[in-house]
Amino acid sequence: MKARSKELLDQATVAMLAAIEIYNKPQFAYRAQSFAILALNGWELLLKAKWLTVNKNRLSSLYVRQGGGQKRKRFKKTRSGNPMTQSVDYLADRMREKKLLAENAHRNLRVLTELRDSAVHFSFNNAEFEKRVHEVCAATVKNFHAAAGDWFGEDLSRFNLYLMPLGFVAFRSASAAALNSEEKRVLKCINTELASGDQDQASPYAVAVSVELRFVRSKAETATAVRVTTDPNAQPVYLTEEYILERWPWTYDDLTAQC
């Protein structure tokens, strides 16, 4: 029988993989919002797995106290009557206090929580907003991979954890002036966390990861001319998952083996 912490680790990995799978579908209209919801779920399960190991695998360490003494503790109940477990905010704060969670990872989770709340209770569709979301989400995956290795010795590289920056056309033409008031407030919250984060480039943890995609000029006469434009009559270019896998079929393991 698996330890409870290992079961939660496995579930956390599945949740993160689901988040990445959805985000990497370019035609999925709710991709960024769905990622924020599923990725935060994955991180909450990962934090609970680590919290259990810190507390000798006692499930009660995850429950929300509601009165009672040390010997007869009472816990808050859910609608079904089961014990309510601690939130991702509580666990992240406690882990940071114990210096088990890196500062940048903690700040990234604060931003991801804000994005999750915005996705569930509001909406965001602005291109400039989604550019910043992509940078935060890329760091979320990076931090998850690092934490799973640091806490459990788990190497998740076999799952090819990466986000494809398929929205580069929208990113380049985006304008912050088009943000509505709600999106501006969320973006301000994100930028505040970014400015306060640890700038150590050698750290495996980050608040956000800057992704820059460039077109490289080719000298070949047969090369296709590519320009980023907002002209509605321009020829559209679509990058599908099937097209990318056809051109670059190697997995991470294939690439390292060839190297």
Side-chain angles (χ1 to χ4, degrees):
M1 180 181 294
K2 288 184 179 179
R4 291 163 179 158
S5 58
K6 183 61 169 66
E7 289 181 355
L8 286 176
L9 172 62
D10 291 345
Q11 292 173 25
T13 304
V14 170
M16 184 59 71
L17 287 172
I20 295 170
E21 178 73 19
I22 287 177
Y23 192 91
N24 286 344
K25 294 182 180 298
Q27 300 302 318
F28 192 83
Y30 209 64
R31 54 200 289 265
Q33 293 90 332
S34 298
F35 177 91
I37 296 168
L38 287 169
L40 193 65
N41 174 223
W43 255 106
E44 180 172 332
L45 292 171
L46 184 66
L47 289 168
K48 286 178 176 177
K50 179 59 178 175
W51 192 250
L52 279 178
T53 64
V54 171
N55 289 276
K56 299 180 180 179
N57 224 31
R58 288 184 293 104
L59 272 180
S60 60
S61 65
L62 294 174
Y63 298 159
V64 178
R65 288 282 301 272
Q66 192 178 47
Q70 280 298 111
K71 293 185 177 180
R72 296 183 60 85
K73 300 176 182 177
R74 291 204 304 270
F75 301 105
K76 194 172 182 178
K77 304 289 186 179
T78 64
R79 294 183 185 87
S80 64
N82 291 324
M84 181 176 290
T85 57
Q86 299 289 356
S87 68
V88 64
D89 291 331
Y90 175 89
L91 293 169
D93 289 347
R94 300 293 83 73
M95 297 280 280
R96 174 173 167 270
E97 289 171 0
K98 291 180 176 292
K99 300 188 182 303
L100 295 172
L101 181 66
E103 180 67 27
N104 278 350
H106 182 258
R107 290 187 178 280
N108 176 264
L109 285 175
R110 284 164 58 94
V111 174
L112 190 66
T113 302
E114 183 63 33
L115 293 178
R116 188 276 311 270
D117 292 346
S118 297
V120 171
H121 303 295
F122 178 53
S123 178
F124 48 85
N125 292 304
N126 182 278
E128 171 65 19
F129 193 81
E130 292 210 12
K131 174 181 181 295
R132 184 62 84 191
V133 168
H134 178 88
E135 295 170 350
V136 170
C137 293
T140 296
V141 176
K142 181 177 185 290
N143 296 342
F144 186 92
H145 182 277
D150 290 345
W151 294 346
F152 299 98
E154 190 79 10
D155 182 9
L156 301 181
S157 60
R158 66 187 184 278
F159 293 118
N160 298 321
L161 301 180
Y162 62 89
L163 300 183
M164 292 189 289
L166 299 182
F168 57 88
V169 174
F171 290 177
R172 288 194 174 197
S173 61
S175 171
L179 294 171
N180 60 40
S181 58
E182 289 85 359
E183 289 169 337
K184 286 180 181 178
R185 282 193 285 270
V186 176
L187 193 58
K188 181 179 179 181
C189 172
I190 294 174
N191 290 335
T192 299
E193 294 290 353
L194 292 180
S196 304
D198 181 6
Q199 304 304 316
D200 181 8
Q201 299 298 318
S203 172
Y205 298 94
V207 184
V209 174
S210 179
V211 178
E212 183 178 358
L213 190 144
R214 296 180 179 179
F215 292 113
V216 179
R217 187 185 300 277
S218 173
K219 294 181 179 180
E221 295 182 358
T222 56
T224 303
V226 178
R227 296 183 181 88
V228 177
T229 177
T230 56
D231 184 354
N233 298 317
Q235 178 66 35
V237 177
Y238 299 100
L239 295 178
T240 65
E241 184 174 356
E242 291 75 14
Y243 172 80
I244 291 173
L245 290 175
E246 182 180 352
R247 290 204 62 180
W248 298 284
W250 285 356
T251 64
Y252 177 89
D253 290 336
D254 292 333
L255 177 60
T256 53
Q258 291 293 334
C259 290

